[in-house]
Amino acid sequence: MKKLPHMRHTVTLRLNGLERSGQCEPRTLLSDFLRYELGATGVHVGCEHGVCGACTVTIDGVAQRACLTLTVAAEGHDVNTVEGLAPDAQNLSALQAAFRRHHALQCGFCTPGILMSCTDFLNRVSNPSEAEVREMLSGHLCRCTGYSNIVAAILEAASQRRKATSNA
Ligand code: FES
Ligand code: FES
């Protein structure tokens, strides 16, 4: 049987604010492209079919499953991963710091995806109820924490953010 040639495309996108390019096949998942072509290994891969949430990134500010997105569809878009959350190498973002304070992670496998969903969520919902936070978290599987500390961290980060906005 004749083998089909491997078609390669160059895809250019903005990753955490910087223009980046790489090569991929038409079928390459964005999760694999980010990890293996661009080195963004904070994008974790669990189920690879949209259930666990570990691969969540934001595309143009909206949380998306990178394992359900074809890389070629991300051409020209703004993609953010957990690597872009901290303001610099010495400091965590307010959301990351709240996770640390509340012991909201154990093995940390689910954490990058949760942080990216939270980033989108808190941009849209400034004063979330616990029920709203838990509903947002229902898109993520965590095998370690029992979720309570994650919820506490997100509620605290939302409150800090409201205070910072009102003092600005
Ligand atoms: S790896 Fe994408 S949702 Fe599980
Ligand atoms: S902290 Fe281990 S899976 Fe969530």
Side-chain angles (χ1 to χ4, degrees):
M1 192 170 49
K2 198 175 162 197
K3 271 187 143 183
L4 289 171
H6 285 288
M7 289 172 63
R8 305 283 286 174
H9 295 281
T10 300
V11 169
T12 302
L13 47 75
R14 281 180 75 77
L15 176 61
N16 299 320
L18 295 175
E19 190 168 291
R20 301 285 306 275
S21 294
Q23 296 278 309
C24 70
E25 293 180 29
R27 63 177 182 165
T28 303
L29 300 173
L30 182 60
S31 45
D32 290 333
F33 181 77
L34 291 171
R35 285 179 60 83
Y36 302 117
E37 189 72 8
L38 301 187
T41 53
V43 180
H44 289 174
V45 173
C47 65
E48 264 195 316
H49 59 243
V51 174
C52 74
C55 67
T56 304
V57 299
T58 63
I59 302 177
D60 299 335
V62 179
Q64 308 271 0
R65 304 293 205 228
C67 76
L68 296 183
T69 305
L70 291 173
T71 303
V72 289
E75 165 76 35
H77 289 271
D78 271 309
V79 177
N80 284 291
T81 67
V82 71
E83 284 91 347
L85 283 186
D88 56 60
Q90 271 69 48
N91 294 293
L92 297 173
S93 70
L95 181 62
Q96 289 170 309
F99 268 59
R100 184 179 185 176
R101 257 193 314 281
H102 286 271
H103 308 288
L105 61 145
Q106 289 181 35
C107 78
F109 193 82
C110 67
T111 312
I114 291 178
L115 289 170
M116 298 319 292
S117 277
C118 283
T119 300
D120 172 18
F121 175 70
L122 294 177
N123 282 340
R124 291 180 289 105
V125 187
S126 63
N127 191 6
S129 65
E130 180 175 334
E132 287 172 316
V133 170
R134 286 187 180 275
E135 187 182 350
M136 181 274 295
L137 277 176
S138 68
H140 292 270
L141 299 180
C142 175
R143 300 296 294 270
C144 306
T145 65
Y147 299 99
S148 294
N149 292 2
I150 298 175
V151 173
I154 296 169
L155 289 171
E156 183 186 276
S159 159
Q160 284 180 337
R161 200 177 155 132
R162 288 194 303 279
K163 279 185 201 144
T165 310
S166 66
N167 290 339

